[in-house]
């Protein structure tokens, strides 16, 4: 019989790398649309993709998607699409970037069983403010951070230009410390662009 210490989603073996690649594809789609490169995928207990979301902060709101708002993050786009979650404890949320406090909190409030992200966000991620394992609402959520080093680097390279542009110096310093190669590439690209 299942125990409360092990959420149902944690007992379902899923190919994390496969679904993180899908989240990264959504992140690239967001970047191409003029929004931040962050993507998310919700997966059911049998491995079926239930919904896909991406950052839509720089896009118009539609009946299908939240947009034109600072809360139009990839996870929120996904949650709005899904509406009321059925058996949320059996679901796994895959994101290209560690969820912020808003999206991490929403995941906890919705009682999502597992959250997996490709790339840590040392400045904007919830973990900077409160350890995921210490968050009272996350006690029944399995959290898996950066399970695939190659995809972690891919996600860092994808988001680093956004971090350079959007985060204050303190945040960029944390990114440079965590992802030195990816941030150096972003700085080089920015310098080349400004020299034109």
């Amino acid at each position: 019989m299942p125990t409360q210490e092990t959420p149902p989603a944690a007992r379902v073996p899923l190919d994390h790398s496969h679904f993180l690649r899908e989240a990264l594809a959504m992140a690239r789609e967001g970047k191409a649309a003029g929004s931040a490169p962050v993507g998310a995928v919700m997966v059911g207990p049998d491995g079926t993709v239930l919904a896909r979301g991406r950052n839509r902060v720089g896009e118009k709101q539609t009946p299908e998607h939240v947009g034109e708002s600072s809360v139009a993050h990839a996870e929120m786009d996904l949650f709005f699409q899904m509406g009321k979650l059925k058996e949320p404890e059996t679901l796994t949320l895959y994101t290209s970037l560690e969820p912020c406090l808003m999206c991490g909190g929403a995941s906890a409030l919705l009682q999502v069983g597992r959250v997996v992200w490709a790339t840590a966000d040392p400045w904007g991620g919830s973990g900077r403010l409160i350890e995921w394992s210490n968050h009272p609402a996350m006690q029944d959520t399995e959290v898996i951070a950066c399970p695939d080093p190659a995809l972690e680097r891919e996600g860092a390279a994808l988001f680093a230009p956004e971090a350079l542009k959007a985060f204050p110096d303190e945040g960029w310093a944390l990114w440079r410390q965590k992802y030195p190669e990816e941030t150096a590439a972003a700085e080089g690209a920015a310098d080349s662009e400004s020299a034109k």
Side-chain angles (χ1 to χ4, degrees):
M1 182 171 191
T3 65
Q4 287 200 357
E5 291 80 33
T6 307
R11 291 186 298 278
V12 178
L14 294 174
D15 181 353
H16 297 317
S17 296
H18 170 77
F19 295 113
L20 289 173
R21 281 187 202 92
E22 290 206 31
L24 286 163
M26 294 302 298
R28 286 188 289 279
E29 191 177 299
K31 179 181 178 183
S35 289
V38 183
V41 178
M42 185 68 82
V43 177
D46 63 352
T48 301
V49 173
L50 303 174
R52 291 174 176 82
R54 62 177 173 77
N55 187 290
R56 294 176 185 274
V57 170
E59 301 169 53
K60 296 234 179 260
Q61 185 158 327
T62 69
E64 297 82 25
H65 298 285
V66 62
E68 265 185 348
S69 167
S70 58
V71 299
H73 291 191
E75 300 88 343
M76 301 308 282
D77 178 42
L78 184 144
F79 292 145
F80 277 98
Q81 288 177 59
M82 292 190 72
K84 185 164 176 59
L85 299 181
K86 295 177 182 171
E87 299 182 345
E89 69 281 358
T90 68
L91 305 179
T92 301
L93 172 65
Y94 288 93
T95 66
S96 62
L97 187 69
E98 177 184 359
C100 70
L101 192 58
M102 173 183 68
C103 297
S107 301
L109 290 171
L110 294 170
Q111 301 174 332
V112 174
R114 179 169 41 205
V115 179
V116 184
W117 60 81
T119 303
D121 184 349
W123 173 255
S126 283
R128 182 175 73 88
L129 303 172
I130 181 170
E131 287 290 327
W132 285 84
S133 59
N134 292 337
H135 192 297
M138 296 297 284
Q139 297 307 303
D140 292 329
T141 302
E142 180 185 16
V143 175
I144 301 173
C146 312
D148 184 320
L151 295 180
E152 179 180 10
R153 289 188 300 276
E154 182 180 332
L158 184 62
F159 192 77
E162 180 71 17
L164 175 61
K165 178 176 69 176
F167 292 163
D169 291 343
E170 178 185 3
W172 183 242
L174 291 173
W175 263 80
R176 289 178 72 201
Q177 181 180 356
K178 176 79 176 163
Y179 298 112
E181 291 178 27
E182 293 80 1
T183 53
E187 288 175 327
D191 289 345
S192 294
E193 190 61 34
S194 65
K196 289 182 181 179

